Amino acid sequence: LLPACLTNNNKTNTSPNVSFFIQAPLDLSAIKELHISIKQAADTILQEEIGTTELIVSPQEKYAIFFPKKRQAITAYYIYDMYRNGENILFTALENLKASAVKDITLGSHVTFFGDPNREIIDLVIFIDDPKKELLQLNKKIKEASHKANQEYKRVHRVDLYDISKSEQFPYLPHLSLGHLRIKAIKEIVKDKSQADKIVEKIKKRITKAISQEISRILTSTNRKISFNKIAIYDPKTRSYIKTINIDLLSKSNS
């Protein structure tokens, strides 16, 4: 794989400071409608529980405590702590993977919060129903391609291309992020710090209940459906997609 991108030196002079998310970008009207309801419901709950919807840092700086995630995407695989000089090897491996277009998945009904409660921000997510295991198969194919790239890189540089254990530390659960809740901000606002954790949990439970009701109201059997035939590599540092890859090759080869 792209030997010209590798040097004869078996050591790399860079540091593993690049991370990528391999995702399926989406543009679902139902999620856009849901974002409006989510924001309204969350702000009402925050106002009732802590008396504000904003963290006021200064007269010039104000941050929403809950904010919807406008970019829609289903993440198929994570690449954490990768060496920059190996990205072409990874890209080539992904371009060569044989995977089918995803045609039969739907937005689920279950919502929850993901993330370490000790972090500043946690995610509100909706799970994806994957009856034919299409997303699981895609995750498997991308994982295999990424491992192949890692082996090629390691053969020359004697180090892993990326941190596999960190990238695969959790079982793959197909989901779509709906929004973010600033946990640290809530704890800063709460006057009685001994009650901060309880208040955070109460807010989380109220938000998930309210959003579940909105999901039942907004999502139908028609607008729950999702399909895609491309994946993209998202760079969280630049907040942009840097490469798009067609994944319907297996479907075409079998037709």
Side-chain angles (χ1 to χ4, degrees):
L1 293 175
L2 291 181
C5 295
L6 306 176
T7 66
N8 292 326
N9 189 349
N10 61 10
K11 293 184 179 181
T12 177
N13 294 322
T14 61
S15 59
N17 60 359
V18 180
S19 293
F20 294 134
F21 302 157
I22 304 172
Q23 302 181 324
L26 303 174
D27 186 20
L28 305 175
S29 59
I31 294 298
K32 293 178 181 178
E33 183 179 353
L34 193 57
H35 279 167
I36 299 173
S37 297
I38 290 173
K39 179 61 175 172
Q40 292 174 344
D43 281 354
T44 297
I45 292 166
L46 289 168
Q47 189 67 48
E48 292 173 354
E49 294 294 339
I50 59 175
T52 183
T53 63
E54 294 179 319
L55 174 64
I56 302 175
V57 180
S58 70
Q60 293 76 32
E61 290 185 284
K62 298 179 182 179
Y63 301 102
I65 296 173
F66 179 89
F67 55 101
K69 183 174 181 178
K70 295 181 180 179
R71 187 176 60 83
Q72 302 176 26
I74 298 174
T75 301
Y77 192 68
Y78 300 90
I79 300 286
Y80 285 121
D81 300 337
M82 190 188 84
Y83 285 97
R84 172 70 74 180
N85 65 343
E87 67 178 27
N88 283 337
I89 297 177
L90 174 67
F91 295 169
T92 299
L94 293 174
E95 288 172 338
N96 290 332
L97 71 84
K98 297 296 188 291
S100 299
V102 175
K103 300 178 179 179
D104 190 21
I105 61 174
T106 59
L107 292 168
S109 300
H110 182 60
V111 292
T112 190
F113 280 98
F114 272 179
D116 185 339
N118 295 318
R119 290 175 53 193
E120 292 190 12
I121 297 176
I122 58 174
D123 292 341
L124 177 68
V125 305
I126 181 171
F127 287 109
I128 306 296
D129 292 334
D130 185 21
K132 296 180 180 178
K133 310 301 181 185
E134 293 177 277
L135 288 174
L136 290 177
Q137 283 299 314
L138 179 60
N139 168 261
K140 180 181 178 181
K141 294 286 187 179
I142 294 174
K143 183 189 299 185
E144 290 173 351
S146 300
H147 285 193
K148 183 177 180 180
N150 181 73
Q151 291 171 1
E152 177 66 16
Y153 186 86
K154 191 172 184 178
R155 181 180 64 81
V156 175
H157 294 287
R158 309 293 176 85
V159 294
D160 287 318
L161 171 62
Y162 67 104
D163 190 334
I164 295 178
S165 61
K166 182 177 178 181
S167 299
E168 301 175 10
Q169 61 182 317
F170 301 113
Y172 181 63
L173 295 174
H175 65 276
L176 180 70
S177 179
L178 296 175
H180 306 283
L181 183 66
R182 298 184 191 273
I183 297 297
K184 184 178 179 181
I186 295 173
K187 293 180 179 180
E188 289 178 358
I189 291 169
V190 172
K191 294 181 179 179
D192 186 351
K193 303 305 180 186
S194 66
Q195 298 298 310
D197 289 337
K198 291 183 179 180
I199 292 174
V200 166
E201 288 305 311
K202 184 178 180 181
I203 289 172
K204 287 166 57 180
K205 288 180 180 178
R206 288 192 62 187
I207 289 177
T208 53
K209 182 179 180 179
I211 301 312
S212 295
Q213 293 173 347
E214 289 302 301
I215 286 172
S216 298
R217 181 180 68 84
I218 293 173
L219 298 186
T220 66
S221 59
T222 301
N223 64 17
R224 285 178 182 265
K225 296 180 179 179
I226 303 171
S227 63
F228 59 87
N229 60 9
K230 298 179 186 298
I231 57 174
I233 300 173
Y234 181 77
D235 184 343
K237 283 189 176 181
T238 62
R239 296 185 179 181
S240 63
Y241 290 108
I242 60 175
K243 192 172 189 62
T244 300
I245 299 168
N246 192 326
I247 62 164
D248 64 357
L249 298 177
L250 188 59
S251 299
K252 289 181 178 180
S253 65
N254 290 337
S255 60

